[in-house]
Structure formats: C-alpha cells, structure tokens
Amino acid sequence: AQSVSQHNHHVILSEAASLELGCNYSYGGTVNLFWYVQYPGQHLQLLLKYFSGDPLVKGIKGFEAEFIKSKFSFNLRKPSVQWSDTAEYFCAVMGDTGRRALTFGSGTRLQVQP
Amino acid sequence: EPEVTQTPSHQVTQMGQEVILRCVPISNHLYFYWYRQILGQKVEFLVSFYNNEISEKSEIFDDQFSVERPDGSNFTLKIRSTKLEDSAMYFCASSGGLAGRTDTQYFGPGTRLTVL
C-alpha cells in the first residue's frame, strides 16, 4: 500500500524567507505526485503535479517541487514566501496500478508572518 | 474557471439519522470522488464513481455509505445511519477522465458534517 509522510506539521516563516516542505512517499512502482494547498476557508487547490519527464516541476504562484526517485521524495519549495502563502499544504500520491484514489499526507500548516 | 460545488457547507445531524451530501462536479468531467477528513487527521479516500457505477472504494466505504448520480449534474453521498465517528469534512472531487496517470482531481469546498 502506498503512504505519504509530511514531517513538518507546522512551519512559521517571515515574509521573504525561503520555503521547503518535505514530502516522502512509500510505493514500489511508478507514481504520480501532487501538491495541493488549502487557504483559510477555501477548498483544496492544485499547486503542481508530477507525472513524468523533468523531475523539477513548476506550479502556480512561484512554487516548484523536485521529484527525487532515489529518495522517494517530492519536496515543495518557494524562494521567497509572502503573507498570502499562509495555508495548509498537502502532498499526495497516486500509484500506477490504474487506481485513481489519492493518498494524502497529513499536511503542513504554513504561517507566514509579515 | 469551473469549480466543484458542494451543499450544504455545514450539516448537523443526530446519531442514527440519514444524511445526504450533495456535489455538483465540473460539467464535462467523467470521474467523481468522495474523500473525508476527520479533524486533525489525513484526507482519506472513500469512493470513486465512473459511468454510473463505483469504480473504487476504500475499506471505510462500508454498507452504510452509498453514492448516486441522480441526474446529469449532481453527485451525492448518503450515510444511512450516522455515527459519532462520521463527523468529518467531506470533500467531493471530479476529474476529466484522462488516461489514468495524467488525470487531475479538482476538489470542492467541503461539507462539514457534525453528528451529535
């Protein structure tokens, strides 16, 4: 069975600081990887996704993530965060078995202080 | 931009009562999903639905749950006899149905279900 670990549960940063949120997955086959964001009071929105090809994926709002197969990781990064990035961030994985169910990590709450 | 919508935003019910949560997926999407998130826990997959039948379900999705697409736009989740542990945020999602791995799921805002 596949699983996802997000080790940072709560991250507090000042504006303009750099961000890296960890995501590790457990799955033996080929995976699709996703980062979703949930702003306060809003629904889950897709930030970026990886299916194949270039392991460095660029998403919306200046976010990027790097798939490192050897480390089973898909960390999310942003060079300079803004107060508006305050949200909860979820990493998710979909395996290659033909199943479409997403397996989510527990989420990381990011608080950006002005 | 098209969005998944859900109603109600908050549902309060008594234990043992039936509830129906409603979702309107994005109009040209073919796959529909329900997930739930118990407070403080992970978002968990419940069920997916395609071509008017369940395509996948998790072990959580037992006989007290059912899904239906009663018309061309709505997708519903019914819980027949609610339990306290059913209290959670329920998210509906839909996807276009692209060949497996490239399909992206778009989520609704959720319905918070409180069982008293």
Side-chain angles (χ1 to χ4, degrees):
Chain A
Q2 57 206 31
S3 65
V4 179
S5 296
Q6 291 181 246
H7 303 294
N8 314 105
H9 297 295
H10 191 189
V11 174
I12 302 174
L13 295 173
S14 298
E15 276 194 312
S18 64
L19 170 72
E20 182 160 2
L21 301 182
C23 172
N24 288 92
Y25 67 91
S26 172
Y27 183 70
T30 305
V31 291
N32 306 328
L33 295 155
F34 306 81
W35 276 98
Y36 283 87
V37 60
Q38 187 173 30
Y39 298 103
Q42 297 189 29
H43 57 92
L44 286 162
Q45 300 175 36
L46 183 68
L47 265 182
L48 48 78
K49 58 188 177 185
Y50 171 80
F51 291 119
S52 63
D54 188 345
L56 185 61
V57 180
K58 295 194 183 299
I60 61 172
K61 306 187 180 187
F63 286 91
E64 64 178 32
E66 185 175 12
F67 170 53
I68 303 179
K69 189 175 180 179
S70 61
K71 295 184 177 180
F72 297 90
S73 70
F74 189 57
N75 292 353
L76 181 71
R77 301 195 292 247
K78 186 171 183 179
S80 175
V81 295
Q82 302 171 318
W83 178 79
S84 58
D85 293 324
T86 295
E88 188 145 18
Y89 293 80
F90 296 90
C91 182
V93 64
M94 180 195 300
D96 64 348
T97 59
R99 297 179 66 240
R100 292 170 183 260
L102 290 173
T103 299
F104 283 86
S106 54
T108 297
R109 185 172 300 280
L110 172 66
Q111 186 178 343
V112 180
Q113 296 176 332
Chain B
E1 183 178 330
E3 290 186 337
V4 176
T5 59
Q6 292 184 242
T7 54
S9 57
H10 191 187
Q11 174 90 46
V12 180
T13 189
Q14 296 291 324
M15 190 170 55
Q17 295 297 303
E18 174 184 286
V19 295
I20 298 176
L21 309 183
R22 291 182 167 79
C23 168
V24 179
I26 294 173
S27 64
N28 61 346
H29 280 186
L30 300 178
Y31 278 86
F32 316 116
Y33 311 82
W34 285 101
Y35 291 80
R36 77 173 185 189
Q37 185 180 27
I38 296 172
L39 190 63
Q41 298 186 25
K42 296 184 180 184
V43 176
E44 303 172 290
F45 168 77
L46 292 178
V47 65
S48 64
F49 192 84
Y50 171 74
N51 199 26
N52 282 321
E53 60 183 28
I54 291 172
S55 53
E56 295 173 54
K57 61 181 182 178
S58 72
E59 59 274 11
I60 302 169
F61 193 87
D62 61 21
D63 291 344
Q64 71 160 343
F65 292 96
S66 62
V67 290
E68 190 179 29
R69 187 152 164 83
D71 54 41
S73 60
N74 289 285
F75 178 52
T76 62
L77 174 69
K78 182 192 291 187
I79 309 175
R80 288 192 184 83
S81 177
T82 51
K83 305 171 190 169
L84 294 176
E85 54 265 37
D86 294 327
S87 294
M89 182 73 89
Y90 287 81
F91 294 105
C92 176
S94 69
S95 67
L98 297 176
R101 299 180 57 223
T102 59
D103 211 15
T104 298
Q105 295 175 30
Y106 296 87
F107 284 79
T111 293
R112 180 166 297 285
L113 176 65
T114 302
V115 182
L116 303 176

